[in-house]
Amino acid sequence: MSTASVRERAKERATAITVLLTVVGYGAVGGVFLVPEFQALFPTLTQETVNLLAHAIAAVNTVTVITLSLGWYWIRNDEVKKHAAAMTTSFGLILLFLGMYLPKVAGGGTKEFVLDSAYAWVPLWDWVYPAYLIMLAIHIVLSVVSVPVVLYALVLGLTHTERELRNETPHRRVGRIAASAWILSLVLGVVTYLLLNHLYDSTFAAAEAAAVLLPVVPV
């Protein structure tokens, strides 16, 4: 089967492909939180490894914000090839993020915010913790709802020509929504990472699959 034939088939099934990829993505992330059998597929990680992965994830997300912003800038200046390269790179970075996030959560655990700090200049106002929770909640909601929109924009971009994208698909509108939600989600994710890992204290909650070998200990 030729590449052109495969592309045509994918073009005709863009929605179905988006649904399939969305289900796979939701299933993988949901599995590391809810399914012990799926969690057990990942190796047990030490807290030090979990912290290292958290730093790496924040770095990847920061770079993704940059590539997404460049992609937005380039398409507004009608630099289509640069835009396509930036958005494809962004998606590759998100796959890299998942490659670190899934084992981090399943085999290691997560941190929980504590309103205390090793730095005297960091404010301990009562509203800081609710503000952190609100930002985290918005980050999570946007991460969840943006998945099918991002995937649909990507599938359309990979299966249609530039002319088709402009005149025959909702790629421009969908892409604008996807990029906006994606960028805001990532920015809030990086902000909450900084609060949780650098400015304020936290406790470490080991993953269920790793709890026997990795006890819950303070950071």
Side-chain angles (χ1 to χ4, degrees):
M1 185 179 296
S2 67
T3 302
S5 177
V6 172
R7 183 174 180 176
E8 285 299 318
R9 288 174 178 271
K11 182 191 299 185
E12 296 170 358
R13 297 170 174 79
T15 301
I17 293 172
T18 299
V19 171
L20 175 61
L21 294 177
T22 299
V23 170
V24 171
Y26 283 162
V29 175
V32 299
F33 285 100
L34 303 174
V35 184
E37 293 81 4
F38 186 69
Q39 295 173 348
L41 297 175
F42 295 87
T44 300
L45 305 178
T46 64
Q47 185 176 341
E48 289 73 19
T49 302
V50 171
N51 289 337
L52 180 62
L53 286 174
H55 303 328
I57 286 170
V60 167
N61 287 346
T62 300
V63 175
T64 306
V65 170
I66 295 172
T67 58
L68 284 171
S69 300
L70 286 172
W72 193 320
Y73 171 81
W74 280 324
I75 197 60
R76 289 178 65 86
N77 288 274
D78 208 30
E79 299 184 73
V80 176
K81 290 185 178 180
K82 289 183 178 180
H83 164 78
M87 292 314 191
T88 304
T89 299
S90 298
F91 184 72
L93 289 170
I94 289 302
L95 294 180
L96 177 59
F97 155 79
L98 284 175
M100 295 186 289
Y101 180 77
L102 295 181
K104 169 182 174 292
V105 174
T110 58
K111 286 186 173 182
E112 298 176 359
F113 186 92
V114 174
L115 188 56
D116 199 2
S117 177
Y119 306 105
W121 54 270
V122 173
L124 301 178
W125 301 317
D126 291 340
W127 57 263
V128 170
Y129 181 53
Y132 166 82
L133 291 179
I134 291 172
M135 287 189 290
L136 182 61
I138 295 174
H139 161 68
I140 293 172
V141 170
L142 287 177
S143 297
V144 172
V145 301
S146 67
V147 168
V149 188
V150 168
L151 288 173
Y152 188 52
L154 180 72
V155 172
L156 289 177
L158 292 176
T159 57
H160 291 72
T161 66
E162 180 183 342
R163 182 191 61 78
E164 291 171 338
L165 288 174
R166 291 182 183 275
N167 303 317
E168 301 176 13
T169 75
H171 178 75
R172 178 179 297 181
R173 182 177 68 257
V174 172
R176 187 180 298 115
I177 295 171
S180 300
W182 201 354
I183 291 173
L184 180 56
S185 172
L186 290 172
V187 168
L188 290 176
V190 172
V191 171
T192 53
Y193 156 81
L194 292 173
L195 294 175
L196 183 65
N197 291 274
H198 295 285
L199 295 180
Y200 292 92
D201 292 340
S202 61
T203 57
F204 182 73
E208 182 177 337
V212 175
L213 298 177
L214 189 64
V216 177
V217 295
V219 173

